[in-house]
Amino acid sequence: MTRARELAAIAGRPVVELARAHTTVSVERAVLRLAGVSGADPDGIPWVNRLVDAVAADVGLSHGVAVPVFDALAREGLDDLTLLAQKAAAGSVRFAVPEKSRTARAAARKHVRAGLRRIDRRRAERERLVRRHGDPSQRPWIYLIVATGDIYEDIPQAQAAARAGADVIAVIRSTGQSLLDYVPEGATREGFAGTYATQENFRLMRAALDETSAQVGRYVRLTNYASGLCMPEMAVLAGLERLDMMLNDSMYGILFRDINPVRTFVDQRFSRQVHARAGIIINTGEDNYLTTADAVDEAHTVTVSQLLNEFFAHEAGLADWQLGLGHAFEINPDVPESFRLELAHALLARELFPDAPLKWMPPTRHMTGDVFRGNLLDGFFNLAGALTGQGILLVGMMTEAVVTPWLSDRDIALQNVRYVLGAAGNLHEDFAPAPGGFIQRRAHEVLGSAVSLLERIDSSPGGLLAAIADGTFGIMKRPADRGKGLDGVHPHADDYYNPATEILEDRG
Amino acid sequence: MTKTVVRPYGDTTGDGMVQLSFTLPVPHDKRAEGAALQLAAKMGMEPAMLVHARQMGDGYTFFVVYGRVNHVVDLGKVNVVERDFPLLTAKDVNTVVKRRLRRKLSVVGACIGTDAHTVGIDAILNVKGIAGEKGLEYYRELKVTNLGAQVTVPELVEAARVEKADAVLVSQVVTQRDAHLTNTREMSAAFREAFPAARRPLLVVGGPRFDETMAGELGVDRIFGRGTTPREVASYLVSALVPAGAAG
């Protein structure tokens, strides 16, 4: 285990160096959001986008936006950044990199610090509410998804789900949002297979769940996504609106959304620094490996990804209690001993990361539309979760791949969870696999394959980025010079300045 | 002579028994149970037995009903798309393409629109395949270009042109607001506009919620529904694109 961690650190370190030497449009927009820019133009393009684009057009982004923006603000005699963005969009402001940047730096730091203080206050507020209403009485926490596309439909569904026992509500995003290079504005009522993540939607849902938390006497957590092209901004908005968990994976966007690897690693690092500050629990996306590749053959890629996610998360300042490392129950049920294999994989994750609240994901690939068999499979999934002490359990739906869950599907699924946790919730106290038995041997085998894969990555000349380019993870090949969002990546100039990173890394 | 009229089967031939579950937006009480039975009767279940009722939240009740339906189905009047091509092995597909086409058959695949679910197209195209059957990338004589998710129709048309596609495979999983139908119509119209009829690639769409009989209406050559395997798709491509009897 120590060896596996060392190897992950060797693979991760050059990527961190790369992330430290670059910025992206979304990182810079996140800085402006922290400094207080909000709202959008009449076409719905956020003012942060307009402002960053205007700065990029005049002086590029290699210096960061903070200095050019606050320099222009002073020159124009303004004190409102959104007004400056409006003027910039109209073409009446020019941006420059002043020779003496001390004043602009100080002003930027002051504004961004105010934004981070708002996030700090929301974190303190969460801690207070958790003390007042309490945490769920059981582990794992029960995690349930809503996704109607309409925030005003999502709210009553989420509240009903919380009353029926859900501890964590996740609002699935509209299909395609991960590839938008801006964050939509306002309350939204239309989405495809999900609801747009916007600051206003965050606020509305959090307020509704606060109401329900008080009713049910338990703090109900809210989850959304810091993934895709706007990871850093999503992290800021989540911090400002007191979301409690965010999906945030180090490689998911690269592998599954074909987002440029450098863009992803830069965005990911900044977003995790913000999450660390906001006290948000991240959920990583290892379940996705198993939905595209074989869950037995590729089990070790999950372990490798968990180790990398852990390394990058610690580097960004996240503590173990904030690491909802993902894994999933996706072995073909027709494979002999499939349940024992699942237990071996789940226990391996538990033992490798004893202090992390592991996120246990239900079967999706082998849900065939046979809802009766699906409900049985979900029961076994729930049992595996109880047996192996998982931290967060995403409730499986027997109608997976058939419809977005109906009210009755959710009710049946929650009955399933409640039955298993009620009947066997503490079984992990009694359950220890036989020494040298099938489960132990399988766990060792997977860990061994993970170590070999990490050794292969570390010994290849191009390291992790080359491994991603070669299709080591899944069969998707993702070279570092391709993929979506590459044109939004900029190397730091010597005078690059980012007040948010400075404060988050405790240098300011 | 085979019987063409059949009834649902519970445990005795001709008993007509079915099970049904649904939710009504009412709290659980006597009246709710009566309402559930009324619905069952209107659906042709007579007599119907209410075997389970459970209230969910404040104002909804879930019901399970068993009963006998008075409907019959006439197998002679069932309209489906039967497989009208021979099912070949990967080896046979390769041999036919090599002997008769004498070049690789070019296939371009994508998920179009905002649909990010590549699970369908990947199951058909990736070497990994599905249910133990390898995908089209595994077929030596097929040249496969998988564009992945969220491809726009113009991008797809362009890729088809560049790759000299013999066939274009489109997967659509998301069906909210009938997005799969709208996207398919848009795609087929664009191909008709961009290519002369004789040079237009074969258009194939697939997804779990398509009605296989709608190909003509959507302007595509073939629709594959849920449970389709790579081998069926490969066999279809060969039968539709490689002229029979040319050689071999």
Coordinates of all heavy atoms in Angstrom, one line a residue, chain B residues 6 20 31 63 72 75 82 93 137 153 181 184 227:
Chain B
V6 N -53.8 -15.3 -29.4 CA -53.4 -15.7 -28.1 C -53.8 -14.8 -27.0 O -54.2 -13.6 -27.3 CB -51.8 -15.9 -28.0 CG1 -51.4 -17.0 -28.9 CG2 -51.1 -14.6 -28.3
L20 N -50.0 -5.5 -13.2 CA -49.9 -4.1 -13.6 C -49.5 -3.3 -12.3 O -50.0 -3.6 -11.2 CB -51.3 -3.7 -14.1 CG -51.5 -2.2 -14.4 CD1 -50.7 -1.8 -15.6 CD2 -53.0 -1.9 -14.7
R31 N -61.2 4.8 -1.1 CA -61.6 5.4 -2.4 C -60.4 5.2 -3.4 O -60.7 5.0 -4.6 CB -61.9 6.9 -2.2 CG -62.8 7.5 -3.3 CD -63.3 8.8 -2.8 NE -62.2 9.7 -2.7 CZ -61.9 10.8 -3.4 NH1 -62.8 11.1 -4.4 NH2 -60.9 11.5 -3.3
F63 N -49.8 1.1 -6.6 CA -50.7 -0.1 -6.6 C -50.1 -1.2 -7.4 O -49.4 -0.9 -8.4 CB -52.0 0.3 -7.2 CG -52.8 1.4 -6.5 CD1 -52.7 2.7 -6.9 CD2 -53.6 1.1 -5.4 CE1 -53.4 3.7 -6.3 CE2 -54.3 2.1 -4.7 CZ -54.2 3.4 -5.2
V72 N -57.5 -10.0 -26.6 CA -56.7 -11.0 -27.2 C -55.7 -10.4 -28.3 O -56.0 -9.3 -28.7 CB -57.6 -12.1 -28.0 CG1 -58.4 -12.8 -27.0 CG2 -58.4 -11.4 -29.1
L75 N -51.6 -12.8 -33.7 CA -50.2 -12.8 -34.1 C -50.1 -12.5 -35.6 O -49.1 -12.0 -36.1 CB -49.6 -14.2 -33.8 CG -49.5 -14.6 -32.4 CD1 -49.0 -16.0 -32.2 CD2 -48.7 -13.5 -31.6
E82 N -38.6 -7.8 -39.1 CA -37.9 -9.1 -38.9 C -36.5 -9.0 -39.5 O -36.4 -8.2 -40.4 CB -38.7 -10.2 -39.6 CG -40.0 -10.5 -39.0 CD -40.0 -11.7 -38.0 OE1 -38.9 -12.0 -37.5 OE2 -41.1 -12.2 -37.7
V93 N -17.9 -11.9 -42.2 CA -18.0 -10.5 -42.6 C -16.8 -10.0 -43.3 O -16.8 -9.5 -44.4 CB -18.4 -9.6 -41.4 CG1 -18.2 -8.1 -41.7 CG2 -19.8 -9.9 -40.9
E137 N -14.8 -2.3 -34.4 CA -13.3 -2.1 -34.5 C -12.5 -3.4 -34.6 O -11.4 -3.4 -35.1 CB -12.8 -1.3 -33.3 CG -13.3 0.2 -33.3 CD -12.8 0.9 -32.0 OE1 -12.4 0.3 -31.1 OE2 -12.8 2.2 -32.1
V153 N -24.3 17.8 -36.3 CA -24.6 17.2 -37.6 C -23.6 17.6 -38.7 O -23.1 16.8 -39.4 CB -26.1 17.5 -38.0 CG1 -26.4 17.1 -39.4 CG2 -27.0 16.7 -37.1
L181 N -35.7 11.7 -31.9 CA -36.4 11.7 -33.2 C -36.0 13.0 -33.9 O -35.7 13.0 -35.1 CB -37.9 11.7 -33.0 CG -38.4 10.4 -32.2 CD1 -39.9 10.5 -32.1 CD2 -38.0 9.1 -32.9
T184 N -32.5 12.8 -35.3 CA -32.4 11.8 -36.4 C -32.9 12.5 -37.7 O -32.3 12.4 -38.7 CB -33.1 10.5 -36.1 OG1 -32.6 10.0 -34.9 CG2 -33.0 9.5 -37.2
G227 N -30.8 -4.0 -27.3 CA -30.4 -5.4 -27.3 C -29.7 -5.8 -28.6 O -29.3 -6.9 -28.8

